[in-house]
């Protein structure tokens, strides 16, 4: 125990005043099965990765720790739940754009852009993508809102010249028409909620989300990845696999749809 405490003090910089890479401390806590301490360290590591723009790495660090805490029946910190949700939403954007589903991409980008301070390395790029995907999807009020944000002095010089005129035009000639987001029942209490809302104001629950769409789950359209047990809308997951996507979007393991019910 004494040697372990000395090693922890060394890694934290208590001995020589030089904190070591948090990953060493994380690995030590994991080997000692001190999962709560490991979880706190994982959040720090993921924040550093996220701040530097390494979103997939940050996602995978949090996901691995999340699964470890579940396995050992330890409460997941709310910060970990929220940060993993944002990172997964960001990763889903590329998937939706690849499939030409600009509405799903726009909804995920709106979620990310609403928490843009969590993505400091790519603020202008993410806001630009949000404007473009919202405009393509007919979400003109949202496109205007984020275009106006982009034209603030701190971001204006960072706008890709390819999109600058279009963004300026959206702000000069605003079209604020926008249909309301479709609703689906809360899987906990049945209250109708916008599909991408993950907090129910009626039952106060944080809702599980589909790992393919980012929408909240539906009780009657439920399946799970057989490897990581994360939920997906079965109707969507079936189509996802039928389209040739063989890997789970969150754990990245090859899935067999017949075993995902």
């Amino acid at each position: 125990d004494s040697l372990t405490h000395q090693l922890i003090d060394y890694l934290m910089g208590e001995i020589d005043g030089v904190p070591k890479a948090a990953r060493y401390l994380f690995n030590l806590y994991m080997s000692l099965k001190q999962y709560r301490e490991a979880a706190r360290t994982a959040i720090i590591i993921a924040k550093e990765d996220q701040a530097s723009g390494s979103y997939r790495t940050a996602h995978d660090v949090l996901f691995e720790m999340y699964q470890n805490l579940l396995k050992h029946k330890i409460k997941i910190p709310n910060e970990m739940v929220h940060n993993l949700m944002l990172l997964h939403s960001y990763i889903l954007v590329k998937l939706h754009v690849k499939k030409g589903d600009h509405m799903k991409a726009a909804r995920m980008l709106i979620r990310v852009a609403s928490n843009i301070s969590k993505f400091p390395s790519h603020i202008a790029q993410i806001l630009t993508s949000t404007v473009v995907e919202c405009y393509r999807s007919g979400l003109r009020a949202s496109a205007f809102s984020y275009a106006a944000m982009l034209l603030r002095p701190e971001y204006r010089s960072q706008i890709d010249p390819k999109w600058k005129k279009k963004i300026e035009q959206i702000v000069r000639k605003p079209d604020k028409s926008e249909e309301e987001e479709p609703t689906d029942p809360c899987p906990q209490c049945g209250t109708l909620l916008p599909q991408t809302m993950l907090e129910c104001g009626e039952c106060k629950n944080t809702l599980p989300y589909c790992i393919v769409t980012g929408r909240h789950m539906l009780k009657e359209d439920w399946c799970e990845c057989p490897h990581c047990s994360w939920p997906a809308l079965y109707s969507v997951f079936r189509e996802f696999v039928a389209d040739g996507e063989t890997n789970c979007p969150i754990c990245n393991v090859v899935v067999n749809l017949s075993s995902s019910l």
Side-chain angles (χ1 to χ4, degrees), residues 33-64:
K33 299 182 179 179
Q34 295 181 12
Y35 297 112
R36 288 185 176 85
E37 291 80 2
R40 286 194 287 269
T41 310
I43 291 172
I44 293 169
I45 294 170
K47 279 183 176 178
E48 292 173 352
D49 287 332
Q50 191 168 343
S52 67
S54 301
Y55 306 123
R56 170 56 78 173
T57 304
H59 175 280
D60 292 348
V61 166
L62 290 182
F63 176 73
E64 179 187 355

Side-chain angles (χ1 to χ4, degrees), residues 15-144:
I15 294 175
D16 58 5
V18 183
K20 310 307 178 288
R23 290 181 190 278
Y24 294 125
L25 193 57
F26 171 74
N27 290 336
L28 176 61
Y29 283 138
M30 288 296 290
S31 66
L32 295 172
K33 299 182 179 179
Q34 295 181 12
Y35 297 112
R36 288 185 176 85
E37 291 80 2
R40 286 194 287 269
T41 310
I43 291 172
I44 293 169
I45 294 170
K47 279 183 176 178
E48 292 173 352
D49 287 332
Q50 191 168 343
S52 67
S54 301
Y55 306 123
R56 170 56 78 173
T57 304
H59 175 280
D60 292 348
V61 166
L62 290 182
F63 176 73
E64 179 187 355
M65 193 67 246
Y66 193 111
Q67 295 299 91
N68 270 301
L69 292 178
L70 278 182
K71 179 181 177 182
H72 293 92
K73 297 180 172 58
I74 297 171
K75 178 176 167 52
I76 315 291
N78 290 336
E79 185 177 9
M80 181 179 288
V81 173
H82 183 69
N83 289 351
L84 180 55
M85 178 273 294
L86 286 178
L87 286 163
H88 192 63
S89 299
Y90 178 83
I91 287 167
L92 285 179
V93 172
K94 186 175 181 180
L95 174 68
H96 296 323
V97 170
K98 173 185 169 185
K99 292 185 173 299
D101 195 332
H102 298 288
M103 180 60 79
K104 285 193 181 77
R107 294 294 182 193
M108 291 300 98
L109 280 164
I110 288 171
R111 180 184 287 166
V112 169
S114 298
N115 295 269
I116 198 63
S117 63
K118 302 276 189 182
F119 299 82
S121 293
H122 298 95
I123 290 177
Q125 294 94 320
I126 290 172
L127 291 177
T128 299
S129 296
T130 306
V131 172
V132 171
E133 292 302 316
C134 285
Y135 195 85
R136 282 175 173 165
S137 306
L139 303 178
R140 301 298 168 85
S142 295
F144 169 78

Side-chain angles (χ1 to χ4, degrees), residues 144-171:
F144 169 78
S145 175
Y146 291 108
M149 189 183 298
L150 259 177
L151 292 181
R152 292 175 185 171
E154 62 265 37
Y155 306 134
R156 190 177 192 124
S157 63
Q158 302 173 45
I159 301 173
D160 187 331
K162 175 184 175 183
W163 298 108
K164 192 168 185 179
K165 284 187 178 179
K166 181 64 178 177
I167 288 166
E168 290 172 343
Q169 184 183 26
I170 289 171
V171 174

